[in-house]
Amino acid sequence: MGQKIIDKWKSSKAGTVNVDWAAVEKELGFALHENIKDLYSRILGGKRSTVEGVIKFNPKAFVKENVSKGDWLSDINEVNAGRDFCEFQLYLLAKCGTEYVCGFFDDAFKGDWTGGNDFGHRAYIGEIILNIGQVSLIFNNETGRFEWIDIGYGYFDVYEENPYGIIADSAQEFLDKFVVYQKR
């Protein structure tokens, strides 16, 4: 089921869903980058607020650029016990009503996931689950890039200044990273 939703998300065009971005930006107090608008104006989840499943995982292909943790997520044997797959969960807009959408983005940028830390204008959009645990998928509204961080790794970083790594530069590139895993 997850791959069908991902495939629909990938093939739908930005703007397919009519979202009141002006209301969201007023609620947040800042303008949203076009990449997050692209990601969240393609499909609605309906009764589903997440899409989840198992994807192919090659860390060298998944991570576009390492930033502050060297090549920490690059060794599949270290981070995923040599497995070439991982679980994932991505958050979907379930509906497009203004009150719901404003709440969705308020939670994505300022919700409990921050643990009181300052992440700048970053939104929590999902996670991948590896042998080492959960790795958070974040959207950086300042740069328009899709990032990964491991919040459980330690609370000593200045999160708004240093993403651990970059996954993608556009919504399409990000979605294209999610390919269903099929055993050989």
Side-chain angles (χ1 to χ4, degrees):
M1 181 61 134
Q3 191 60 42
K4 285 176 112 174
I5 295 170
I6 289 290
D7 287 345
K8 183 177 179 186
W9 207 350
K10 287 179 188 181
S11 65
S12 296
K13 299 293 181 209
T16 300
V17 175
N18 186 18
V19 177
D20 186 351
W21 295 116
V24 174
E25 292 172 342
K26 182 177 179 184
E27 174 77 22
L28 293 173
F30 57 87
L32 288 173
H33 195 281
E34 288 302 313
N35 282 342
I36 199 161
K37 292 178 183 181
D38 178 343
L39 183 68
Y40 284 108
S41 68
R42 293 171 175 234
I43 65 168
L44 293 176
K47 294 180 182 179
R48 302 177 63 102
S49 59
T50 62
V51 58
E52 42 204 50
V54 178
I55 59 169
K56 294 178 184 177
F57 183 74
N58 173 340
K60 292 183 187 322
F62 193 79
V63 176
K64 181 175 189 156
E65 175 186 337
N66 289 302
V67 178
S68 69
K69 294 298 176 202
D71 59 357
W72 182 79
L73 196 62
S74 297
D75 186 346
I76 197 163
N77 292 313
E78 187 173 316
V79 299
N80 209 28
R83 296 181 189 108
D84 61 351
F85 62 91
C86 72
E87 293 179 47
F88 76 95
Q89 181 177 24
L90 296 175
Y91 291 94
L92 292 165
L93 277 178
K95 51 189 174 181
C96 62
T98 300
E99 185 177 337
Y100 169 82
V101 173
C102 286
F104 177 90
F105 283 101
D106 190 61
D107 189 50
F109 281 96
K110 304 173 186 175
D112 291 341
W113 72 272
T114 65
N117 294 296
D118 182 358
F119 284 86
H121 290 165
R122 286 187 168 87
Y124 192 87
I125 58 174
E127 62 264 348
I128 56 174
I129 309 296
L130 302 165
N131 191 55
I132 58 165
Q134 175 182 321
V135 172
S136 300
L137 305 176
I138 306 293
F139 177 77
N140 185 330
N141 195 66
E142 300 300 319
T143 65
R145 298 176 100 186
F146 296 83
E147 304 172 349
W148 71 270
I149 59 172
D150 183 3
I151 298 170
Y153 181 75
Y155 295 100
F156 47 83
D157 285 327
V158 180
Y159 292 113
E160 72 270 21
E161 293 178 0
N162 61 355
Y164 288 13
I166 307 302
I167 298 168
D169 291 321
S170 71
Q172 190 66 49
E173 181 183 10
F174 176 74
L175 289 169
D176 286 343
K177 302 279 181 160
F178 293 85
V179 176
V180 71
Y181 176 79
Q182 296 177 8
K183 292 182 181 180
R184 295 178 201 158

